[in-house]
């Protein structure tokens, strides 16, 4: 039995059996490389042109400049259709904060309008025989097409992992692909198949599980949902988009959970965990793989030829396209965002270069002309881009996005059918950790719903929702058609003959039969969500739970989070506790479980920590609730009182050396012999100026001249330091810190922090030995760092040093 695969101007017949073998071994591109050689290509100026039909023949007619443009991927925020027409970029992306025409809250119609504009620009006729090659647009649809207002926002991957339901994930992928295609986009940077092993990582919620086998199974299902199954009708056809397995590899295994940090250890052991999901994704025919930001044993993945080429292409047999992450090539040693031959030579096929595309294009052209980059390597990368387009039908008489079968079918964006799938996913992802018998809620109950997250769609959606970070100034109006958790509870209560009243601060006069307290993490994405420990510091939910208990009101805690966190205090205070994760737009799925309309089938795909210190928990040791734990509604659990001691919370009130723009008592800042009152002034190579962070001049920008030193001294102590800092440009020469007679090179840690906003540095006995009464920073080259707070903390003395 044969399947039809759309290729240049015709169809290529291949036995399903053969396709499956090829997809499993060498990926999509290996099959497409053998596609028919003589199929016609539609030109921009005539129905059928004499332009070469195969990618190889098209490549032979391309100029060097056009070839390079195929492997440069700019962001829509920095290019116009006019730029696209001039340079003929092969691919385009929209970052998490990039919307059409500079509006990250643009209506859906504007996405399609801009897609048409880019298509028209890239399809305009070219002089001579040079082939016309339309551009592909890629987006981060990581939990639905959630950048677009009105789209269905599915639960994040951590919640989908708790469902363990591959068929459900496949249906979510299919619904997401349809909504992407409605807006004219071709390609998504999903699924994330990271195996998160340190929940301090700010991207933990993008991982399905700490268990590689579960990640592999669910990741492959998502690929199949987005693309279809290789060898079956409709693969990469109508209502399907190209998928991306990301990030190869090790993103979930960085030291201390630092986003974009270093992954250390025996390579075989690391691959057994962090590369384990990739064979399944490759076997599912995934069109592209994204290189990871992190390093493996000190070498950045964007420049790691033994892994990008040797392992991914050689041992794993991937034949598709390898795309970079956001300026990830610029982190490779010796590279900048605008100049990095090393990444292409290592095995990267497409550079994601949001803003510096013009300079990168020029440098790549020069490097090919000089021979730094062999033409054969450039051709190999360009062919992979062309073959992806071929697989998507781009050369097969494809029309502009709005004229395609699903283009502008707005009734499919956030459709009732897709929202029903999302609601099912929410219900199946709820994990019941404790139940003293209060659940399921009784018919006719008078319910009070409290907590700032109860009627807060942006918070329940989490990061990567409309904007990159989510939350912020977003409101329910930015999620038309969505249902908050409170709204879902209120509707279910009415159906059951009772009522639910919203009392965000829990201060209604009436005594309810039961109180539901909804609370949790504020939205975040990527490195902004990195943490130093697993303590949950927002005590709003805890205070409400304790207040209701004091009144004799039974309570249900509904906790929204992108990871397991230390919840001992809240678990003690609540009669029932539900891990609701980040459910997305369909909050009614939470009520479906609370009221017993749906069974409580969610099971932990991550171990839940018993302690708050942040020590990674990936199994029974250190776990309060282990992998696979979860109660059903018929079960009750009488948890013994849990230990509420948390050194990290106690340490928060440690002695301040610098805060609110002032040095602490008995603390002095000295640049060699020049005293800098309140860490401000100029002296001996140090220039410290006031800048605003949360208030006027509450922070300092400290510029080091070559060879300069800055010493902070204060009361002698064995405590460590916690320093809130920001680095906008990595150091170009070694930077060290000295305390207690020991010097530590912190250049790599500061380099990882580049461009990531305000972060926390922990320095203590684990890396400095004796800490003592002074801390000296020294830079061998010019370097600038901003500092807003320096605190001595007892936990800092024992905690692992981090940046």
């Amino acid at each position: 039995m044969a399947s039809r695969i759309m290729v240049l101007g015709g169809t290529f017949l291949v036995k399903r059996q053969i396709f499956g073998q090829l997809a499993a071994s060498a990926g999509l591109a290996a099959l497409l490389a053998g596609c028919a050689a003589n199929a016609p290509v539609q030109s921009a100026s005539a129905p059928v042109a004499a332009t070469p039909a195969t990618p190889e023949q098209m490549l032979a007619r391309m100029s060097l400049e056009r070839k390079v443009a195929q492997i440069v991927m700019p962001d829509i925020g920095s290019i116009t259709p006019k730029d696209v027409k001039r340079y003929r970029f092969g691919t385009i992306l929209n970052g998490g904060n990039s919307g059409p025409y500079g509006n990250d809250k643009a209506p859906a119609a504007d996405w399609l309008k801009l897609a048409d504009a880019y298509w028209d620009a890239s399809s305009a006729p070219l002089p001579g025989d040079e082939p016309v090659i339309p551009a592909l647009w890629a987006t981060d649809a990581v939990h639905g097409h959630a950048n677009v207002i009105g789209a269905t926002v599915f639960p994040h991957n951590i919640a989908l992992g708790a469902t363990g339901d591959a068929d459900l994930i496949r249906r979510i992928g299919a619904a997401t692909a349809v909504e992407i295609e409605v807006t004219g986009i071709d390609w998504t940077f999903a699924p994330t198949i990271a195996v998160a092993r340190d929940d301090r990582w700010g991207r933990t919620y993008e991982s399905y599980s700490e268990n590689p086998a579960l990640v592999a199974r669910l990741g492959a299902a998502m690929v199949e949902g987005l693309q279809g199954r290789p060898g079956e009708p409709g693969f990469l056809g109508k209502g399907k988009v190209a998928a991306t397995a990301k990030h190869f590899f090790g993103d979930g295994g960085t030291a201390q959970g630092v986003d974009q940090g270093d992954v250390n250890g025996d390579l075989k052991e690391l691959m057994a965990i962090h590369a384990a999901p990739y064979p399944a994704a490759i076997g599912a025919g995934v069109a592209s793989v994204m290189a990871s930001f992190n390093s493996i044993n000190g070498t950045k993945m964007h420049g790691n030829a033994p892994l990008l080429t040797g392992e991914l292409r050689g041992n794993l047999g991937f034949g598709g396209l390898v795309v970079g992450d956001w300026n990830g090539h610029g982190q490779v040693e010796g590279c900048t965002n605008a100049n990095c031959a090393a990444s292409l030579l290592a095995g990267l096929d497409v550079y994601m270069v949001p803003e510096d595309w013009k300079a990168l294009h020029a440098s790549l052209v020069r490097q090919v002309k000089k021979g730094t980059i062999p033409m054969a390597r450039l051709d190999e990368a360009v062919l992979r881009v062309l073959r992806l387009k071929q697989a998507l039908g781009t050369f097969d008489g494809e029309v502009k996005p709005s004229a395609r079968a699903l283009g502008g079918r707005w009734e499919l964006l956030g459709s009732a059918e897709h929202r029903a799938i999302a609601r099912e996913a929410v219900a199946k992802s709820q994990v019941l950790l404790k139940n003293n018998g209060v659940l399921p809620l009784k018919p006719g109950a008078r319910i009070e719903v409290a907590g700032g997250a109860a009627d807060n769609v942006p918070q329940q959606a989490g990061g990567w929702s409309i904007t990159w970070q989510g939350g912020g100034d977003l409101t329910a109006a930015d999620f038309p058609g969505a249902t908050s958790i409170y709204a879902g509870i209120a509707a279910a209560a009415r159906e059951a003959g009772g009522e639910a009243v919203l009392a965000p601060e829990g201060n209604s006069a009436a005594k309810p039969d039961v109180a539901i307290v909804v609370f949790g993490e504020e939205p975040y994405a990527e490195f902004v969500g990195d943490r130093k420990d697993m303590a949950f510091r927002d005590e709003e939910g805890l205070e409400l739970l304790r207040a209701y208990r004091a009144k004799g009101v039974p309570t249900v805690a509904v906790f929204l989070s992108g990871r397991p966190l230390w919840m001992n205090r809240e678990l003690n205070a609540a009669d029932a506790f539900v891990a609701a994760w980040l459910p997305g737009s369909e909050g009614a799925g939470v009520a479906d479980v609370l009221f017993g309309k749906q069974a409580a089938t969610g099971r932990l795909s991550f171990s839940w920590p018993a302690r708050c210190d942040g020590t990674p928990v990936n199994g029974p040791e250190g776990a309060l609730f282990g992998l696979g734990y979860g109660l059903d509604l018929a079960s009750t659990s009488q948890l013994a009182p849990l230990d509420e001691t948390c050194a990290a919370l106690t340490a928060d009130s440690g002695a301040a050396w610098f805060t609110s723009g002032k040095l602490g008592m008995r603390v002095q800042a000295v640049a060699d012999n020049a005293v800098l009152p309140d860490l401000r002034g100029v002296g001996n190579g140090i220039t410290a100026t006031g800048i605003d962070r949360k208030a006027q001049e509450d922070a300092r920008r400290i510029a080091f001249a070559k060879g300069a030193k800055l010493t902070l001294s204060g009361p002698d102590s064995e405590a460590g330091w916690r320093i809130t800092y920001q680095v906008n440009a990595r150091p170009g020469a070694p930077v060290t810190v000295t305390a207690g007679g020991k010097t530590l090179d912190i250049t790599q840690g500061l380099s990882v922090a580049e461009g990531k906003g305000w972060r926390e540095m922990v320095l203590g006995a684990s890396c400095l030995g004796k800490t003592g009464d002074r801390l000296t920073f020294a830079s061998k080259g010019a370097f600038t760092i901003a500092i807003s707070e320096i605190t001595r903390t007892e936990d800092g003395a024992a905690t692992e040093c981090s940046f």
Side-chain angles (χ1 to χ4, degrees):
M1 183 177 181
S3 296
R4 291 182 181 272
I5 302 166
M6 304 303 294
V7 293
L8 285 69
T11 55
F12 177 62
L13 294 177
V14 60
K15 289 187 180 294
R16 214 173 265 178
Q17 176 182 352
I18 296 174
F19 191 107
Q21 291 171 349
L22 286 165
S25 61
L28 178 66
L31 171 73
L32 295 175
C35 288
N38 298 312
V41 172
Q42 181 176 5
S43 104
S45 57
V48 177
T51 320
T54 67
E56 290 80 4
Q57 290 171 324
M58 296 172 78
L59 180 74
R61 308 300 286 270
M62 295 173 68
S63 67
L64 170 60
E65 290 74 15
R66 298 280 191 253
K67 289 180 180 180
V68 169
Q70 287 295 309
I71 68 168
V72 172
M73 176 185 279
D75 183 83
I76 66 170
S78 69
I79 57 162
T80 65
K82 183 177 179 180
D83 295 323
V84 172
K85 185 176 181 180
R86 177 182 175 187
Y87 284 88
R88 301 305 172 104
F89 298 114
T91 59
I92 300 163
L93 87 145
N94 66 278
N97 279 339
S98 297
Y101 310 107
N103 180 10
D104 59 8
K105 296 183 180 181
D110 280 359
W111 292 81
L112 184 58
K113 178 182 176 183
L114 186 58
D116 274 354
Y118 285 141
W119 176 273
D120 289 343
S122 60
S123 300
L126 286 167
D129 283 337
E130 194 157 4
V132 170
I133 303 172
L136 296 181
W137 182 344
T139 189
D140 283 284
V142 297
H143 64 138
H145 196 23
N147 274 134
V148 178
I149 289 177
T152 309
V153 182
F154 292 94
H156 270 295
N157 284 357
I158 191 170
L160 301 185
T163 74
D165 189 336
D167 177 68
L168 172 64
I169 276 70
R170 198 173 288 110
R171 287 185 283 129
I172 289 171
T176 299
V178 166
E179 298 198 14
I180 292 170
E181 190 157 292
V182 166
T183 61
I185 296 175
D186 314 280
W187 180 9
T188 177
F189 296 138
T192 300
I193 55 173
V195 182
R197 303 285 285 186
D198 189 326
D199 299 346
R200 292 174 291 184
W201 186 38
R203 304 189 78 160
T204 297
Y205 64 74
E206 294 186 52
S207 172
Y208 293 110
S209 178
E210 70 190 41
N211 181 346
L214 181 58
V215 175
R217 183 164 63 88
L218 299 186
M222 181 62 80
V223 170
E224 291 176 346
L226 291 164
Q227 297 189 163
R229 283 187 166 127
E232 294 187 1
F235 178 64
L236 288 177
K238 175 184 173 183
K240 298 299 179 183
V241 296
T244 306
K246 66 181 189 183
H247 310 81
F248 187 82
F249 79 96
D251 46 350
T254 59
Q256 303 166 41
V258 174
D259 190 40
Q260 305 181 23
D262 200 14
V263 182
N264 299 293
D266 177 78
L267 182 60
K268 288 185 178 179
E269 293 178 1
L270 294 176
M271 290 198 70
I273 295 173
H274 298 289
Y278 283 87
I282 293 168
V286 70
S288 62
V289 167
M290 183 178 289
S292 192
F293 277 120
N294 60 270
S295 306
I296 300 290
N297 294 321
T299 301
K300 281 289 183 180
M301 280 301 306
H302 278 68
N304 200 322
L307 298 182
L308 280 185
T309 299
E311 291 294 339
L312 179 60
R313 297 209 180 277
N315 293 334
L316 297 182
F318 179 62
L321 183 149
V322 175
V323 61
D325 208 338
W326 188 278
N327 284 331
H329 60 279
Q331 297 184 17
V332 175
E333 185 175 0
C335 288
T336 67
N337 294 345
N339 189 328
C340 191
S343 283
L344 188 62
L345 296 174
L348 200 73
D349 296 316
V350 171
Y351 292 82
M352 188 187 295
V353 56
E355 296 174 345
D356 296 304
W357 50 266
K358 187 178 294 186
L360 180 66
H361 182 274
S363 68
L364 289 170
V365 169
R366 288 195 302 270
Q367 288 157 353
V368 175
K369 288 180 176 179
K370 288 175 61 178
T372 305
I373 297 173
M375 181 64 78
R377 174 65 194 108
L378 174 62
D379 286 351
E380 181 180 50
V382 175
L383 276 173
R384 289 178 180 140
V385 177
L386 298 181
R387 287 170 182 159
L388 175 57
K389 295 179 181 185
Q390 180 186 42
L392 287 166
T394 304
F395 308 132
D396 189 53
E398 185 66 282
V399 292
K400 67 181 180 180
S402 64
R404 298 172 192 170
L406 299 185
R409 291 278 303 279
W410 305 121
E411 74 276 11
L412 299 176
L413 190 70
S415 70
E417 178 185 357
H418 295 169
R419 291 186 185 278
I421 297 171
R423 181 170 175 171
E424 176 188 348
V426 174
K428 287 183 173 179
S429 69
Q430 303 300 289
V431 180
L432 183 56
L433 298 180
K434 177 181 178 180
N435 185 17
N436 287 349
V438 68
L439 293 178
L441 297 170
K442 295 177 175 59
R446 292 175 295 117
I447 304 165
E448 191 161 291
V449 184
D455 197 30
N456 191 329
V457 174
Q459 187 169 352
Q460 72 191 44
W464 290 106
S465 300
I466 308 301
T467 62
W468 175 40
Q469 293 297 316
D473 65 351
L474 297 175
T475 69
D478 297 312
F479 297 85
T483 304
S484 72
I485 292 172
Y486 164 69
I489 292 170
R494 288 192 298 270
E495 291 176 10
E499 66 172 349
V501 176
L502 182 64
E505 297 179 3
N507 55 4
S508 71
K511 181 179 179 180
D513 297 322
V514 63
I516 302 173
V517 179
V518 188
F519 63 103
E521 291 188 290
E522 293 292 329
Y524 55 81
E526 300 193 45
F527 51 79
V528 176
D530 286 358
R531 305 174 63 100
K532 295 300 179 183
D533 52 55
M534 302 310 293
F536 183 64
R537 289 168 169 77
D538 186 340
E539 297 189 347
E540 177 214 22
L542 177 63
E543 292 172 358
L544 286 168
L545 291 167
R546 286 174 173 172
Y548 281 119
R549 171 160 286 194
K551 296 177 185 178
V553 177
T555 55
V556 178
V558 175
F559 181 51
L560 304 180
S561 72
R563 57 190 137 205
L565 287 168
W566 182 76
M567 287 274 106
N568 288 16
R569 299 178 300 172
E570 291 83 356
L571 281 159
N572 283 341
D575 294 293
F577 190 103
V578 178
W581 314 112
L582 299 170
S585 60
E586 307 312 303
V590 176
D592 289 341
V593 173
L594 299 182
F595 284 83
K597 294 172 66 176
Q598 298 290 333
T601 58
R603 299 295 182 262
L604 291 179
S605 60
F606 287 85
S607 305
W608 197 280
R611 302 194 309 272
C612 74
D613 58 8
T615 301
V617 180
N618 295 294
E621 185 177 352
L624 178 62
F625 304 112
L627 193 70
Y629 179 85
L631 302 172
D632 58 41
L633 289 170
S635 303
T636 58
S637 64
Q638 298 293 332
L639 282 177
L642 301 172
D643 182 7
E644 298 188 2
T645 304
C646 177
L649 295 177
T650 304
D652 287 344
S653 58
W657 272 35
F658 177 75
T659 186
S660 300
K662 295 184 178 298
L663 290 171
M665 295 288 291
R666 300 168 58 199
V667 177
Q668 190 176 56
V670 177
D672 284 343
N673 296 319
V675 176
L676 305 177
D678 278 335
L679 195 53
R680 185 199 303 268
V682 179
N684 295 322
I686 296 292
T687 301
T689 54
I691 59 172
D692 300 345
R693 186 190 176 200
K694 296 179 180 179
Q696 185 174 356
E697 297 197 0
D698 62 339
R700 297 289 182 267
R701 180 181 293 112
I702 303 170
F704 289 75
K706 181 178 180 180
K709 295 182 179 180
L710 173 67
T711 298
L712 299 165
S713 61
D716 195 11
S717 171
E718 295 181 0
W721 285 272
R722 286 182 178 267
I723 302 171
T724 304
Y725 74 105
Q726 182 180 61
V727 173
N728 290 330
R730 70 182 65 186
V735 178
T736 60
V737 61
T738 301
K742 183 175 181 179
T743 298
L744 177 70
D745 189 324
I746 62 174
T747 312
Q748 175 63 22
L750 297 177
S751 297
V752 170
E754 179 188 29
K756 294 183 180 177
W758 291 98
R759 298 173 65 80
E760 187 177 65
M761 181 189 312
V762 177
L763 299 170
S766 64
C767 60
L768 289 172
K770 177 178 171 57
T771 49
D773 65 348
R774 66 190 57 227
L775 191 67
T776 298
F777 292 91
S779 179
K780 290 188 176 181
F783 172 63
T784 299
I785 186 171
I787 291 176
S788 71
E789 191 168 41
I790 304 172
T791 305
R792 297 296 305 260
T793 61
E794 294 298 332
D795 75 312
T799 301
E800 190 175 3
C801 297
S802 61
F803 298 89

